[in-house]
Amino acid sequence: MYRSKRSFSHTHGHGGGRYRGNQRSSFGRQQRQATFNPTFLVEKAGVKLVKTEYLATHRFDDFAILEQLKKNVLARGYTKPTPIQDQVIEPILGGRDVVGVANTGTGKTAAFLIPLIHRVTIGALARVLIVTPTRELAMQVRDELTAFGNGLGLSSALCIGGAKIQRQIEGLTLGPQFVIGTPGRLKDLEKRRRLDFSDFGAVVLDEVDRMLDMGFIRDVRGMIKRLPSKRQSLFFSATIPDNVREVMQSFLTDPVAISVQSAAAAENVDQEIIRINGKPKLEVLHDLLKTEGFEKVLVFGRTKWGMEKVMRELARRGLRVAAIHGNKSQNQRQRALSEFRDNKIQALLATDVASRGLDIDNVTHVINYDLPATYEDYIHRVGRTGRADKVGKALTFIE
Ligand code: AMP
């Protein structure tokens, strides 16, 4: 087994041009091509970029937000704003539209939640709709909303697929201030006349590139058409390929734009290639999982059945593992996730779609068991480790 090691960190900042090369690869799933070239890692081996500390121009205390909200932010452990928070909280408080080119790990959730919670609480906004590509991300947004909304008496409803629609319908009849959901379920609820998109004075589309990747383009377009023409629109996407740009233009009015694209994704991540040299990948993975320090490992594979098979074999050999992919029920996925979060299992095996936007702390290693299809997928995967100033490791298997 040969290891080629590199380690790099990115500078925070605007533009993020370094990873734009594969933007077009984020088109619809059927059109996805394998554009990730593992030699990228080898070619860049030895290149070390200097990490510069981002100097925030605001402290949380500087923002014109409710004292209780400031307290909640502090209680959440945030001492200073991340670059995206530093730059968009104020415009959002002022009612502006925003486009943030940002991936998970940049603090984008708090960047839109903090000012929106303030505006709703003071009565500047009646209702907010937040649309995410996956159920897991929707649940994470709801959890953050609960934490930041502590003591503010906010109401919210979660409208996601895989959960009982009747309960969601009941939740909606109370007219919650925040509705968080996935496109398919939101559309379904609208068709049943339980949800009226024209009710929302502010709308957040989160991880739009992923939404379109997952085939939600028609649902998203349909939803935008039915929103009130006077509204505040916030748009977040890690990449802006042509189809995303088209949705963005139909959605936003005179937006403030910020890009923190390459900032946090692979920061603090040591990246290595593992040459398999003909050895069965499963054996290599098994050996790694038996190695000291591989405590909380996220393993990415291409197919549902592939990951399921690997999971079963590792479990048969006595390892504590679980899998999340599209064939698992919502309950199974939730259980696997919380066991992983609580360190009850050592390794979680996932497909790309199932893992979108997951926010799990202290992942020690990300292993690319199968190569990702695109560079964006690679960045998304390795961004699961090395978060919040912890150094993580990403290992990529190649033949
Ligand atoms: P997000 O990009 O919204 O998925 O956030 C990524 C992670 O960063 C989450 O675990 C957040 O709780 C955390 N986070 C967001 N903003 C801050 C902040 N200002 N200080 C420390 N951690 C943060």
Side-chain angles (χ1 to χ4, degrees):
M1 199 161 73
Y2 162 80
R3 287 188 179 194
S4 151
K5 184 176 163 77
R6 69 181 288 244
S7 117
F8 71 79
S9 45
H10 299 291
T11 50
H12 279 298
H14 308 261
R18 282 166 44 77
Y19 297 124
R20 298 273 166 106
N22 284 329
Q23 276 183 4
R24 288 177 176 276
S25 57
S26 294
F27 276 86
R29 222 186 314 174
Q30 300 78 357
Q31 292 163 275
R32 277 169 91 88
Q33 298 163 346
T35 54
F36 178 68
N37 176 2
T39 56
F40 174 89
L41 293 166
V42 180
E43 284 161 9
K44 294 263 171 92
V47 176
K48 186 150 187 164
L49 297 173
V50 181
K51 181 186 172 189
T52 54
E53 174 102 14
Y54 175 81
L55 289 177
T57 57
H58 301 91
R59 292 167 306 169
F60 279 114
D61 220 24
D62 297 331
F63 295 120
I65 53 173
L66 296 157
E67 283 306 316
Q68 178 64 34
L69 186 49
K70 283 184 190 171
K71 269 197 206 153
N72 296 343
V73 172
L74 218 62
R76 189 89 174 74
Y78 297 3
T79 49
K80 59 178 199 287
T82 64
I84 192 163
Q85 291 161 4
D86 191 37
Q87 293 173 63
V88 307
I89 289 181
E90 219 155 56
I92 299 174
L93 283 171
R96 292 282 304 268
D97 281 10
V98 164
V99 48
V101 183
N103 34 22
T104 6
T106 54
K108 66 184 164 59
T109 316
F112 65 76
L113 279 182
I114 292 170
L116 288 176
I117 291 172
H118 175 83
R119 300 199 74 214
V120 166
T121 311
I122 64 165
L125 263 178
R127 301 190 69 194
V128 175
L129 177 66
I130 300 168
V131 191
T132 71
T134 63
R135 304 154 185 183
E136 283 82 8
L137 186 57
M139 287 189 275
Q140 278 169 25
V141 172
R142 218 273 282 264
D143 290 347
E144 295 232 1
L145 177 69
T146 309
F148 292 131
N150 180 38
L152 295 172
L154 298 174
S155 55
S156 68
L158 193 61
C159 300
I160 55 178
K164 288 208 174 73
I165 198 164
Q166 200 51 40
R167 275 237 196 101
Q168 295 172 3
I169 289 172
E170 284 160 23
L172 286 173
T173 55
L174 304 169
Q177 291 161 310
F178 286 83
V179 174
I180 304 160
T182 45
R185 180 54 62 95
L186 291 169
K187 182 182 140 196
D188 193 358
L189 286 160
E190 199 236 4
K191 255 174 56 192
R192 296 172 187 227
R193 301 192 180 280
R194 302 299 177 157
L195 191 63
D196 185 348
F197 291 133
S198 68
D199 280 347
F200 295 97
V203 182
V204 182
L205 297 186
D206 198 8
E207 302 205 353
V208 180
D209 51 352
R210 295 301 161 198
M211 257 187 246
L212 302 197
D213 263 2
M214 293 169 73
F216 285 131
I217 191 153
R218 287 183 58 190
D219 294 344
V220 172
R221 280 203 195 117
M223 195 160 55
I224 292 176
K225 277 203 195 103
R226 285 189 289 283
L227 293 171
S229 53
K230 203 170 158 306
R231 62 169 190 265
Q232 182 172 25
S233 307
L234 310 177
F235 186 97
F236 296 89
S237 191
T239 56
I240 313 280
D242 291 349
N243 56 346
V244 171
R245 184 175 306 279
E246 180 206 314
V247 170
M248 182 175 96
Q249 282 163 350
S250 70
F251 181 62
L252 298 165
T253 311
D254 185 26
V256 172
I258 165 172
S259 169
V260 288
Q261 167 112 23
S262 57
E267 192 177 288
N268 306 329
V269 181
D270 270 356
Q271 297 170 76
E272 282 186 37
I273 280 178
I274 300 210
R275 288 196 190 278
I276 298 302
N277 288 338
K279 212 174 160 189
K281 282 202 271 191
L282 193 128
E283 299 305 327
V284 179
L285 176 62
H286 175 259
D287 292 350
L288 285 173
L289 292 176
K290 288 285 195 183
T291 309
E292 205 186 311
F294 284 72
E295 285 156 17
K296 200 166 188 178
V297 185
L298 200 48
V299 182
F300 284 100
R302 209 172 18 240
T303 63
K304 302 170 196 175
W305 58 267
M307 283 293 91
E308 186 68 20
K309 225 169 94 183
V310 173
M311 189 272 286
R312 288 196 181 162
E313 179 54 27
L314 292 173
R316 202 186 60 78
R317 296 183 188 192
L319 289 168
R320 290 170 300 122
V321 292
I324 51 167
H325 50 66
N327 282 0
K328 298 275 181 189
S329 72
Q330 181 64 10
N331 268 347
Q332 288 171 318
R333 293 210 283 180
Q334 268 320 104
R335 191 170 345 118
L337 267 180
S338 61
E339 284 179 352
F340 189 55
R341 279 211 177 90
D342 301 342
N343 302 318
K344 289 193 183 122
I345 54 171
Q346 178 195 6
L348 186 66
L349 291 91
T351 54
D352 288 292
V353 169
S355 70
R356 291 287 169 247
L358 291 185
D359 180 18
I360 302 162
D361 287 336
N362 305 325
V363 171
T364 56
H365 296 79
V366 166
I367 295 179
N368 292 311
Y369 187 86
D370 296 319
L371 284 180
T374 67
Y375 199 73
E376 280 82 20
D377 283 341
Y378 179 77
I379 287 290
H380 265 265
R381 290 176 175 192
V382 307
R384 304 306 97 212
T385 184
R387 311 188 79 175
D389 289 333
K390 293 188 189 77
V391 175
K393 267 189 180 290
L395 308 174
T396 302
F397 287 5
I398 61 170
E399 287 304 330

